Amino acid sequence: MLVTGDTGFKGSVLAGWLAELGAEVLGISLEVQPESHYAFLKERPWKTVFCDIRNREMLKRHIVDFSPEIVFHLAAQPLVRLSYAESAATFDTNVTGTLNLLEAVRAVPSCRSVVVITSDKCYENREDGIPCKETDPMGGFDPYSASKGCAELLTGCYQRSFFANGNTLVASARAGNVIGGGDWAPDRLIPDLMRAAASGKEAVLRNPEALRPWQHVFEPLSGYLLLGARLYYGERSFVGGWNFGPASGEAWSVRAVADKLQEFWPKFQYRIECDPKAPHEAKLLQLDCAKSREFLEWSGVWDIEKTLKMTAMWYARWYEQRQIATMDMLHEYISDAAAKGLIWTK
C-alpha cells in the first residue's frame, strides 16, 4: 500500500496502522519535520522515500516501481493561515500534486483502489448552520480551502474521464477537524495548547467561539481504511466523495475544547487575543455524514470527551515520560469499536 504524506500527523498514524495490519507500506513525503510524530517514533515498520509530489516524473517513477494495489493520498500543504502567505505553493502542492498522483496511478495496472483525502473545508461554506453534504458545491474562501475544492473537482474529473471503466476505483474523503496525540503543526489549537502545557506559557485563542466538528484521528482513518477496502474489492457504488466526522450537532467551540482539556491536563493557561486584521477563518464548520453511516456502515467510536481525554493523556506521556502512546491507544480504540459491533472490526 502507498501512503503519500506519511511523515505528517495523519499520514504517520495511518502508515503505522496499515503496518500493524500486516500490509507492506511505502510512504512518499517531503523531508521530516524535527518536531513531529514521525520523527519521534523509535521504530517505523514501513519504508519512506522523500519526494516532492510536485515533481511529476520522480513521483511517477517511485509509484510505478512500487506498483501499489491501494493508494491513500494525504500529502498536502494543510494549514489555512500558511496558505495566505504561500498561496501559489499551496495550490501547486494540493492541486498539481494531486494531479501528479493520479497521473502516476494511471501507469500502474496493479492499482485497484485510490482514496484522495481532502478536507471539510473544500465546500462552499455558507456558515448557515446547515451541515455540508457530499453533493454540495465546492468552494473555499481562503487559498487552502479553495485548493482542496479544486483537488475534489480534479479527482472527480479523473475518476470519470480515466478510471470509470477500468479496475482502478477512485474516491475522495473529507474529514472534520482531526485531533489526537502526535500533531505538532503550527497554528492548530491542540498543538498550541499542548506546547503551552509543556512550557508553562500561555496559549493564545484567536477565535474562541468558532465551532468545529472535532474528532480523534483514528475516526477518519478507520473510514479511509473501510472505503479503501470497498474500492479494492471492486464495489463501484463507493466511488465518489465521502464525509467523515462526528454526528450533526456535536460541534464544540474552541473555548469549550480548551476548557475541557484543562480538566485532563491542567498545566496550561490560555488567553483570548482576537485580531480584527487577521486573515479570514470560518466561524462554523459542520459535515453531514449520513452517507458514510448508512452505506459504509461507518461510525465514530469515541465521543468528544474521551477524544480530548486520550489526546491530553498522549501529550502528557510524551512530555513527561517521552513515551509514544499511539499504538496502545489504537488498540484501545479498536477494542472499543469491536464492543460497539462496528463492521470494520470484523
Side-chain angles (χ1 to χ4, degrees):
M1 297 188 187
L2 175 71
V3 177
T4 70
D6 69 305
T7 61
F9 168 46
K10 286 170 68 177
S12 61
V13 177
L14 177 60
W17 193 342
L18 288 167
E20 177 82 357
L21 292 171
E24 180 187 1
V25 181
L26 175 70
I28 294 179
S29 289
L30 293 176
E31 294 291 334
V32 183
Q33 295 297 312
E35 187 179 51
S36 66
H37 182 256
Y38 181 98
F40 292 143
L41 288 171
K42 293 182 179 178
E43 296 181 0
R44 291 184 290 272
W46 73 90
K47 179 182 177 182
T48 301
V49 295
F50 298 111
C51 168
D52 191 326
I53 62 171
R54 294 174 293 183
N55 187 328
R56 182 176 301 172
E57 293 306 315
M58 183 179 293
L59 178 66
K60 181 177 179 180
R61 184 164 64 250
H62 286 305
I63 293 176
V64 169
D65 287 347
F66 185 61
S67 293
E69 293 182 306
I70 300 177
V71 173
F72 296 97
H73 177 49
L74 289 86
Q77 192 297 94
L79 302 174
V80 171
R81 284 164 66 90
L82 182 60
S83 76
Y84 283 102
E86 300 182 3
S87 55
T90 297
F91 278 98
D92 203 12
T93 299
N94 295 352
V95 183
T96 305
T98 301
L99 169 70
N100 293 342
L101 180 282
L102 294 171
E103 277 290 311
V105 166
R106 293 179 63 193
V108 181
S110 64
C111 187
R112 297 167 60 179
S113 172
V114 180
V115 181
V116 175
I117 286 80
T118 61
S119 169
D120 60 344
K121 297 176 181 64
C122 68
Y123 293 107
E124 185 63 47
N125 180 18
R126 297 181 176 87
E127 301 189 53
D128 55 8
I130 301 175
C132 297
K133 56 185 178 181
E134 289 86 352
T135 54
D136 286 346
M138 298 294 106
F141 183 101
D142 56 87
Y144 168 77
S145 302
S147 74
K148 288 298 188 176
C150 290
E152 283 283 352
L153 294 173
L154 172 67
T155 300
C157 165
Y158 265 65
Q159 186 276 317
R160 291 188 294 270
S161 298
F162 304 113
F163 299 116
N165 300 313
N167 294 323
T168 303
L169 303 186
V170 179
S172 63
R174 307 146 186 182
N177 280 54
V178 175
I179 60 176
D183 187 5
W184 273 282
D187 285 331
R188 283 184 181 161
L189 176 64
I190 304 302
D192 287 349
L193 293 175
M194 296 299 100
R195 277 190 287 261
S199 65
K201 299 178 181 178
E202 278 189 327
V204 175
L205 303 190
R206 300 188 305 271
N207 299 297
E209 306 312 321
L211 293 172
R212 296 289 186 269
W214 312 96
Q215 60 181 327
H216 196 277
V217 64
F218 296 152
E219 307 282 19
L221 294 187
S222 68
Y224 304 165
L225 291 172
L226 182 56
L227 180 57
R230 295 286 198 177
L231 300 176
Y232 176 80
Y233 289 112
E235 300 182 52
R236 293 186 179 275
S237 60
F238 292 94
V239 163
W242 297 83
N243 288 342
F244 296 98
S248 297
E250 291 187 4
W252 276 35
S253 72
V254 167
R255 188 199 302 264
V257 167
D259 288 343
K260 179 59 69 172
L261 278 169
Q262 279 188 316
E263 295 181 20
F264 299 125
W265 197 24
K267 293 185 65 173
F268 69 85
Q269 300 296 320
Y270 68 80
R271 70 180 188 274
I272 295 171
E273 196 172 282
C274 302
D275 180 2
K277 297 181 180 180
H280 172 272
E281 292 184 82
K283 300 295 184 185
L284 175 64
L285 284 173
Q286 290 181 292
L287 287 181
D288 183 333
C289 302
K291 179 182 174 183
S292 293
R293 286 175 165 78
E294 181 177 354
F295 297 104
L296 265 179
E297 299 183 64
W298 171 88
S299 177
V301 177
W302 288 346
D303 62 18
I304 183 62
E305 185 153 341
K306 181 153 188 180
T307 291
L308 294 174
K309 178 181 180 180
M310 299 301 281
T311 299
M313 287 174 57
W314 193 101
Y315 284 101
R317 283 179 62 176
W318 169 251
Y319 282 117
E320 295 173 356
Q321 304 174 42
R322 282 299 190 263
Q323 292 181 356
I324 296 287
T326 306
M327 297 313 294
D328 290 342
M329 291 185 176
L330 176 60
H331 295 155
E332 181 173 343
Y333 175 82
I334 293 171
S335 177
D336 289 348
K340 294 182 70 172
L342 295 185
I343 186 173
W344 58 264
T345 64
K346 299 175 182 178

